[in-house]
Amino acid sequence: MSERTLARLSRWPLRRQLVAGIVMLLVVATVVIGVVTVAVQRHTVLDRVDDQLETVLEAQRSAVEDEAQEIPRMRARSVVVIEADGVEEVAELTDESGVVSPLSDAERHQLLDGAGREPYAETVQLSDHGSYRVTSAALDGGGQVVVGQSLSEVDQTIRDMTLSFTVVGLLGVTLAALGGRWIIRLGLRPLERLARTASQVSQTPLAEGTVSMPSRVQDQDTSPGTEVGQVGAALNRMLDHVEDAIGRRQSSEDQLRRFIADAGHELRTPLAAISAHAQLMERRRTEMPEELGHSSQRIRSESQRMGLLVEDLLLLARLDSGVPLAEEPVELARILVDVSADAQLTAPGHQWHIDLPEGAADLTVRGDAARLHQVVSNLVNNAKDHTPEGTSVILRLRADRADAVEVTVEDDGPGIPEELQPRIFDRFVRGDGARSRGDAEAGQGNTGLGMAICAAIVHAHRGTIRCESRPGRTRFVIRLPAAPHSAGPAASARG
Ligand SMILES: Nc1ncnc2c1ncn2[C@@H]1O[C@H](COP(=O)(O)OP(=O)(O)OP(=O)(O)O)[C@@H](O)[C@H]1O
Ligand SMILES: [Mg+2]
C-alpha cells in the first residue's frame, strides 16, 4: 500500500478504520479457509476415486491375464482400454446411463500415452468427454490395461462446495461487519463523550478574565478498569489542576489590580499637592536663583507626568477588571474632526488630513465617547511624537460592510522599529528614542502605555486594533462593531 493511501486511510474516523480492518481480516480468513478446505476435500475425493480405480484395474487385469475369466463390465462414467497380445483390443467408454460406446483413436492414444508413467493415477482431459482420473497397469504377457473414472461428479461437488463457501462467507462477512460496526460504535461512545469534553475545554478562553471551566468527564467514563476510563480520569485530574492554576492566576491578578488601583488613588492626592506647590513656586520664579527656578519647573513637569502615568495605570486597572464602559451612541466622525483640529494646533509642523465618507455622521458605534476619543488621540499623538516635522498624517473613517466601522490613522513617517511591532500593544513598550524624544523637560516624556490603553479600550468595545508598519508607511486600523442603525455610505470627501 502506498504511503499516500496509508495517510488517507489514517485520516478516516477510528470507527471506519476498525470496521474496514475487521472486514479485511475476515475476507482474508474466509478465503484462506475456503481454499484450503476445498483443496483438502478434492484431494480426499480423488484418493477415494483412485482407490476404486485400483480395484477396477486389478479386476480388469486379472480377467485379461486369466483367459478363463470374463472381462467385467465397467461402471457408469468410466473408460477402459486394453491392448494385449492375443486379446481383442478394447477401447470403450460407458456413459452415465450405462451405454457403452467406442473411444476414438485419438482418445485411445491419449490414454495409452499416459500409461505406466508417474504419477501412477493422473487426470486426463478427454476432448469430447471431460476430465477422467486414469490409472494403468502393464500386463505380464505384454500390453496395457488402462481404466479411468469420469471426474464430472467430483468437479460438480467441488463447484457446489465453492459456491456454498462463497455465499456463506459473504453472508458471514456482512453480518460480522454489521455486528462489528455496532459493537465498535457502542465501544467508542465513551471516547466520543471524552472528545466532546476535551473540545469544550479547547474552546474555553483561558488566557485572561474570569474563566469558567466546562463540566468534567462523567463518572461512567472514568472507571480505572478501562482504557477510556483511565484517559477520562486523567482528563478530569488535568482539568482540576488547570482550574486550580487559573483560579490562582485570577486571584493574583485581582490582587495586583486592586493594589494598582489603591496605590493610584493614594498617589493622586500627594501628586496633586506637589504639582500645586510646584506651580506656586514657579509663579515666583523671578524671586529665586535661576537654578532653583529650573528645579521648581522640573518638579512641576515631572509631577504632571507622574499624574498622567497614574491616570493611565488606573484606567488600565479599571479596564482589566471589566468595569462596564458607557454604552451611548458615539459619532466617530466628530471625534476624528476634533482630534485632527487639536493636532493641527499643537503640531502645525505636520500635515494633517482627514478623510470622511459621505454621510459620515451616520457612522456610529455604541460605547464610551471619552474613551474612544482617547484611542484616536493616542494614535494621533504617536504620529506626532514619533515622526519628524513635515510628516503627513491622515485620519480615515470607513464603513466596513454593514456591521463594522473602521478608523485608520496612517502616517508616512520612519515607521515602528521591527522588533517592537509584535509587542506594540503590550504595556510599557516604547522605542529607544521615545523617552528622550518626548519633551520630558516639558513634562511629556513617553510611558509606553499609549498603545496598551488603545488596545484595552478597543477590546472593551468588542473591537479589534491592528498595526502595519514599514519605513514610509505606518497604519493603525481600528474596527468596531457598528451601532444597529449605522448606515454604510460609499463616496468619500477629503478635508
Ligand atoms: N506612528 C508611529 N511612528 C513611529 N513609531 C511609533 C508610532 N506609533 C508608535 N510608535 C512606537 O511605538 C512605541 C509605543 O507607543 P506607545 O504609544 O504605546 O508608547 P509611547 O508613545 O512611547 O508612550 P505614551 O503613548 O504612553 O506616552 C513608541 O514608543 C514608538 O517607538
Ligand atoms: Mg504614545
Side-chain angles (χ1 to χ4, degrees), residues 336-374:
L336 261 64
V337 169
D338 289 351
V339 173
S340 156
D342 292 349
Q344 260 154 17
L345 281 181
T346 53
H350 286 63
Q351 297 169 40
W352 299 98
H353 304 283
I354 179 161
D355 176 7
L356 299 177
E358 218 172 76
D362 292 334
L363 286 183
T364 54
V365 296
R366 287 194 68 77
D368 189 323
R371 294 290 156 243
L372 290 173
H373 185 285
Q374 188 172 2

Short mmCIF file of all heavy atoms in Angstrom, two decimals, residues 336-374:
data_model
loop_
_atom_site.label_atom_id
_atom_site.label_comp_id
_atom_site.label_asym_id
_atom_site.label_seq_id
_atom_site.Cartn_x
_atom_site.Cartn_y
_atom_site.Cartn_z
N LEU A 336 -12.95 62.24 15.16
CA LEU A 336 -11.82 62.42 14.22
C LEU A 336 -11.61 63.89 13.90
O LEU A 336 -10.46 64.38 13.88
CB LEU A 336 -12.10 61.63 12.93
CG LEU A 336 -11.41 60.28 12.84
CD1 LEU A 336 -11.91 59.34 13.91
CD2 LEU A 336 -11.61 59.65 11.47
N VAL A 337 -12.71 64.62 13.70
CA VAL A 337 -12.60 66.05 13.39
C VAL A 337 -11.97 66.80 14.58
O VAL A 337 -11.03 67.59 14.41
CB VAL A 337 -14.00 66.63 13.03
CG1 VAL A 337 -13.95 68.15 12.97
CG2 VAL A 337 -14.47 66.05 11.71
N ASP A 338 -12.45 66.50 15.80
CA ASP A 338 -11.92 67.19 16.99
C ASP A 338 -10.44 66.90 17.18
O ASP A 338 -9.62 67.81 17.39
CB ASP A 338 -12.68 66.74 18.25
CG ASP A 338 -14.10 67.30 18.26
OD1 ASP A 338 -14.39 68.16 17.40
OD2 ASP A 338 -14.90 66.85 19.11
N VAL A 339 -10.08 65.63 17.11
CA VAL A 339 -8.68 65.25 17.36
C VAL A 339 -7.78 65.88 16.29
O VAL A 339 -6.69 66.40 16.58
CB VAL A 339 -8.52 63.71 17.37
CG1 VAL A 339 -7.06 63.33 17.45
CG2 VAL A 339 -9.28 63.12 18.53
N SER A 340 -8.25 65.86 15.05
CA SER A 340 -7.45 66.42 13.96
C SER A 340 -7.27 67.92 14.14
O SER A 340 -6.18 68.47 13.92
CB SER A 340 -8.13 66.06 12.64
OG SER A 340 -7.78 66.95 11.65
N ALA A 341 -8.36 68.59 14.59
CA ALA A 341 -8.26 70.03 14.81
C ALA A 341 -7.25 70.32 15.92
O ALA A 341 -6.40 71.23 15.80
CB ALA A 341 -9.64 70.58 15.17
N ASP A 342 -7.30 69.53 17.02
CA ASP A 342 -6.33 69.72 18.11
C ASP A 342 -4.91 69.53 17.59
O ASP A 342 -4.00 70.29 17.92
CB ASP A 342 -6.58 68.70 19.23
CG ASP A 342 -7.90 68.99 19.94
OD1 ASP A 342 -8.47 70.07 19.70
OD2 ASP A 342 -8.34 68.10 20.70
N ALA A 343 -4.73 68.49 16.77
CA ALA A 343 -3.39 68.17 16.28
C ALA A 343 -2.85 69.31 15.41
O ALA A 343 -1.67 69.65 15.48
CB ALA A 343 -3.43 66.88 15.48
N GLN A 344 -3.75 69.90 14.59
CA GLN A 344 -3.30 71.00 13.73
C GLN A 344 -2.79 72.17 14.56
O GLN A 344 -1.85 72.86 14.17
CB GLN A 344 -4.44 71.45 12.84
CG GLN A 344 -4.29 70.86 11.45
CD GLN A 344 -5.60 70.72 10.72
OE1 GLN A 344 -6.59 71.32 11.10
NE2 GLN A 344 -5.60 69.92 9.68
N LEU A 345 -3.40 72.34 15.75
CA LEU A 345 -2.96 73.43 16.62
C LEU A 345 -1.65 73.09 17.32
O LEU A 345 -0.72 73.90 17.38
CB LEU A 345 -4.03 73.72 17.67
CG LEU A 345 -5.22 74.55 17.21
CD1 LEU A 345 -6.18 74.77 18.37
CD2 LEU A 345 -4.74 75.92 16.69
N THR A 346 -1.57 71.87 17.87
CA THR A 346 -0.41 71.53 18.70
C THR A 346 0.80 71.10 17.86
O THR A 346 1.93 71.20 18.33
CB THR A 346 -0.75 70.38 19.68
OG1 THR A 346 -1.29 69.31 18.91
CG2 THR A 346 -1.74 70.81 20.73
N ALA A 347 0.57 70.60 16.64
CA ALA A 347 1.71 70.20 15.80
C ALA A 347 1.53 70.76 14.40
O ALA A 347 1.27 69.99 13.45
CB ALA A 347 1.82 68.68 15.79
N PRO A 348 1.68 72.07 14.24
CA PRO A 348 1.45 72.66 12.92
C PRO A 348 2.52 72.24 11.91
O PRO A 348 2.32 72.38 10.71
CB PRO A 348 1.49 74.17 13.18
CG PRO A 348 2.20 74.32 14.49
CD PRO A 348 2.04 73.08 15.26
N GLY A 349 3.64 71.69 12.41
CA GLY A 349 4.72 71.27 11.50
C GLY A 349 4.36 70.03 10.70
O GLY A 349 4.98 69.73 9.69
N HIS A 350 3.39 69.25 11.15
CA HIS A 350 2.95 68.07 10.42
C HIS A 350 1.82 68.46 9.47
O HIS A 350 1.17 69.47 9.67
CB HIS A 350 2.44 67.00 11.38
CG HIS A 350 3.52 66.29 12.13
ND1 HIS A 350 4.36 66.93 13.00
CD2 HIS A 350 3.89 64.97 12.13
CE1 HIS A 350 5.20 66.05 13.52
NE2 HIS A 350 4.95 64.84 13.01
N GLN A 351 1.61 67.59 8.47
CA GLN A 351 0.47 67.85 7.57
C GLN A 351 -0.68 66.94 7.97
O GLN A 351 -0.53 65.71 7.93
CB GLN A 351 0.86 67.55 6.13
CG GLN A 351 1.97 68.44 5.62
CD GLN A 351 2.47 67.91 4.30
OE1 GLN A 351 1.70 67.46 3.47
NE2 GLN A 351 3.78 67.97 4.12
N TRP A 352 -1.78 67.53 8.37
CA TRP A 352 -2.90 66.74 8.89
C TRP A 352 -4.00 66.66 7.85
O TRP A 352 -4.41 67.69 7.30
CB TRP A 352 -3.43 67.35 10.19
CG TRP A 352 -2.38 67.38 11.26
CD1 TRP A 352 -1.59 68.43 11.60
CD2 TRP A 352 -1.98 66.29 12.07
NE1 TRP A 352 -0.71 68.08 12.60
CE2 TRP A 352 -0.94 66.75 12.92
CE3 TRP A 352 -2.38 64.95 12.20
CZ2 TRP A 352 -0.30 65.94 13.84
CZ3 TRP A 352 -1.75 64.16 13.14
CH2 TRP A 352 -0.72 64.65 13.94
N HIS A 353 -4.48 65.44 7.58
CA HIS A 353 -5.59 65.27 6.62
C HIS A 353 -6.66 64.44 7.29
O HIS A 353 -6.36 63.62 8.16
CB HIS A 353 -5.13 64.50 5.37
CG HIS A 353 -3.97 65.15 4.70
ND1 HIS A 353 -4.10 66.27 3.92
CD2 HIS A 353 -2.65 64.85 4.73
CE1 HIS A 353 -2.90 66.63 3.48
NE2 HIS A 353 -2.01 65.78 3.96
N ILE A 354 -7.87 64.66 6.83
CA ILE A 354 -8.95 63.82 7.35
C ILE A 354 -9.79 63.35 6.16
O ILE A 354 -10.09 64.14 5.26
CB ILE A 354 -9.76 64.56 8.44
CG1 ILE A 354 -10.89 63.69 8.94
CG2 ILE A 354 -10.29 65.90 7.96
CD1 ILE A 354 -11.42 64.14 10.29
N ASP A 355 -10.10 62.09 6.17
CA ASP A 355 -10.81 61.51 5.03
C ASP A 355 -12.10 60.85 5.55
O ASP A 355 -12.05 59.80 6.18
CB ASP A 355 -9.88 60.47 4.38
CG ASP A 355 -10.56 59.74 3.24
OD1 ASP A 355 -11.68 60.12 2.87
OD2 ASP A 355 -9.93 58.78 2.72
N LEU A 356 -13.22 61.53 5.30
CA LEU A 356 -14.50 61.02 5.81
C LEU A 356 -15.40 60.65 4.63
O LEU A 356 -15.40 61.36 3.62
CB LEU A 356 -15.21 62.10 6.65
CG LEU A 356 -14.47 62.59 7.89
CD1 LEU A 356 -15.26 63.71 8.55
CD2 LEU A 356 -14.25 61.45 8.88
N PRO A 357 -16.15 59.57 4.76
CA PRO A 357 -17.05 59.22 3.65
C PRO A 357 -18.31 60.11 3.69
O PRO A 357 -18.58 60.76 4.70
CB PRO A 357 -17.42 57.78 3.96
CG PRO A 357 -17.28 57.65 5.42
CD PRO A 357 -16.26 58.64 5.87
N GLU A 358 -19.04 60.06 2.61
CA GLU A 358 -20.30 60.82 2.58
C GLU A 358 -21.25 60.23 3.62
O GLU A 358 -21.29 59.02 3.80
CB GLU A 358 -20.93 60.66 1.19
CG GLU A 358 -21.58 61.93 0.69
CD GLU A 358 -21.98 61.74 -0.75
OE1 GLU A 358 -22.97 61.05 -0.97
OE2 GLU A 358 -21.24 62.23 -1.63
N GLY A 359 -21.94 61.08 4.30
CA GLY A 359 -22.87 60.59 5.34
C GLY A 359 -22.13 60.04 6.54
O GLY A 359 -22.59 59.14 7.22
N ALA A 360 -20.91 60.57 6.79
CA ALA A 360 -20.08 60.06 7.89
C ALA A 360 -20.77 60.21 9.24
O ALA A 360 -20.53 59.42 10.15
CB ALA A 360 -18.75 60.80 7.89
N ALA A 361 -21.66 61.20 9.33
CA ALA A 361 -22.32 61.43 10.62
C ALA A 361 -23.18 60.24 11.03
O ALA A 361 -23.46 60.04 12.21
CB ALA A 361 -23.18 62.69 10.52
N ASP A 362 -23.56 59.41 10.04
CA ASP A 362 -24.39 58.24 10.37
C ASP A 362 -23.57 57.07 10.87
O ASP A 362 -24.11 56.07 11.31
CB ASP A 362 -25.17 57.80 9.13
CG ASP A 362 -26.21 58.82 8.76
OD1 ASP A 362 -26.66 59.55 9.66
OD2 ASP A 362 -26.54 58.91 7.56
N LEU A 363 -22.25 57.19 10.74
CA LEU A 363 -21.41 56.05 11.17
C LEU A 363 -21.19 56.12 12.68
O LEU A 363 -20.27 56.78 13.14
CB LEU A 363 -20.06 56.09 10.45
CG LEU A 363 -20.09 55.68 8.99
CD1 LEU A 363 -18.69 55.69 8.42
CD2 LEU A 363 -20.68 54.29 8.87
N THR A 364 -22.02 55.44 13.41
CA THR A 364 -21.89 55.50 14.87
C THR A 364 -21.61 54.10 15.42
O THR A 364 -21.90 53.09 14.79
CB THR A 364 -23.19 56.02 15.50
OG1 THR A 364 -24.26 55.22 15.03
CG2 THR A 364 -23.44 57.47 15.15
N VAL A 365 -21.01 54.13 16.61
CA VAL A 365 -20.84 52.87 17.34
C VAL A 365 -21.44 53.09 18.73
O VAL A 365 -21.67 54.23 19.12
CB VAL A 365 -19.34 52.50 17.47
CG1 VAL A 365 -18.74 52.26 16.11
CG2 VAL A 365 -18.56 53.55 18.22
N ARG A 366 -21.67 51.99 19.44
CA ARG A 366 -22.16 52.17 20.82
C ARG A 366 -20.97 52.03 21.75
O ARG A 366 -20.19 51.09 21.64
CB ARG A 366 -23.23 51.13 21.15
CG ARG A 366 -24.55 51.39 20.45
CD ARG A 366 -25.66 50.55 21.07
NE ARG A 366 -25.98 50.96 22.43
CZ ARG A 366 -26.71 52.04 22.74
NH1 ARG A 366 -27.17 52.83 21.80
NH2 ARG A 366 -26.96 52.34 24.01
N GLY A 367 -20.80 52.99 22.64
CA GLY A 367 -19.66 52.89 23.54
C GLY A 367 -19.45 54.17 24.32
O GLY A 367 -20.38 54.98 24.51
N ASP A 368 -18.20 54.33 24.75
CA ASP A 368 -17.83 55.44 25.63
C ASP A 368 -17.08 56.49 24.80
O ASP A 368 -15.94 56.27 24.38
CB ASP A 368 -16.94 54.86 26.74
CG ASP A 368 -16.67 55.87 27.83
OD1 ASP A 368 -16.50 57.06 27.50
OD2 ASP A 368 -16.62 55.47 29.02
N ALA A 369 -17.74 57.61 24.56
CA ALA A 369 -17.17 58.63 23.67
C ALA A 369 -15.80 59.11 24.16
O ALA A 369 -14.85 59.25 23.37
CB ALA A 369 -18.13 59.79 23.54
N ALA A 370 -15.68 59.34 25.47
CA ALA A 370 -14.43 59.89 26.01
C ALA A 370 -13.29 58.91 25.78
O ALA A 370 -12.17 59.28 25.41
CB ALA A 370 -14.59 60.19 27.48
N ARG A 371 -13.58 57.62 26.01
CA ARG A 371 -12.52 56.61 25.85
C ARG A 371 -12.15 56.45 24.37
O ARG A 371 -10.97 56.29 24.04
CB ARG A 371 -13.00 55.26 26.38
CG ARG A 371 -13.24 55.22 27.86
CD ARG A 371 -11.94 55.30 28.64
NE ARG A 371 -12.16 55.83 29.96
CZ ARG A 371 -11.66 56.97 30.43
NH1 ARG A 371 -10.92 57.75 29.65
NH2 ARG A 371 -11.90 57.37 31.65
N LEU A 372 -13.13 56.49 23.49
CA LEU A 372 -12.83 56.35 22.06
C LEU A 372 -12.05 57.58 21.57
O LEU A 372 -11.15 57.47 20.72
CB LEU A 372 -14.12 56.16 21.25
CG LEU A 372 -14.78 54.81 21.49
CD1 LEU A 372 -16.14 54.73 20.81
CD2 LEU A 372 -13.89 53.67 20.99
N HIS A 373 -12.37 58.72 22.13
CA HIS A 373 -11.62 59.94 21.82
C HIS A 373 -10.16 59.73 22.24
O HIS A 373 -9.23 60.07 21.51
CB HIS A 373 -12.24 61.12 22.57
CG HIS A 373 -11.61 62.43 22.23
ND1 HIS A 373 -10.38 62.83 22.70
CD2 HIS A 373 -12.04 63.45 21.43
CE1 HIS A 373 -10.08 64.02 22.23
NE2 HIS A 373 -11.07 64.43 21.45
N GLN A 374 -9.99 59.11 23.41
CA GLN A 374 -8.63 58.86 23.92
C GLN A 374 -7.85 57.94 22.97
O GLN A 374 -6.66 58.14 22.74
CB GLN A 374 -8.74 58.23 25.30
CG GLN A 374 -7.42 58.09 26.01
CD GLN A 374 -7.60 57.64 27.45
OE1 GLN A 374 -8.71 57.38 27.90
NE2 GLN A 374 -6.50 57.55 28.17
#
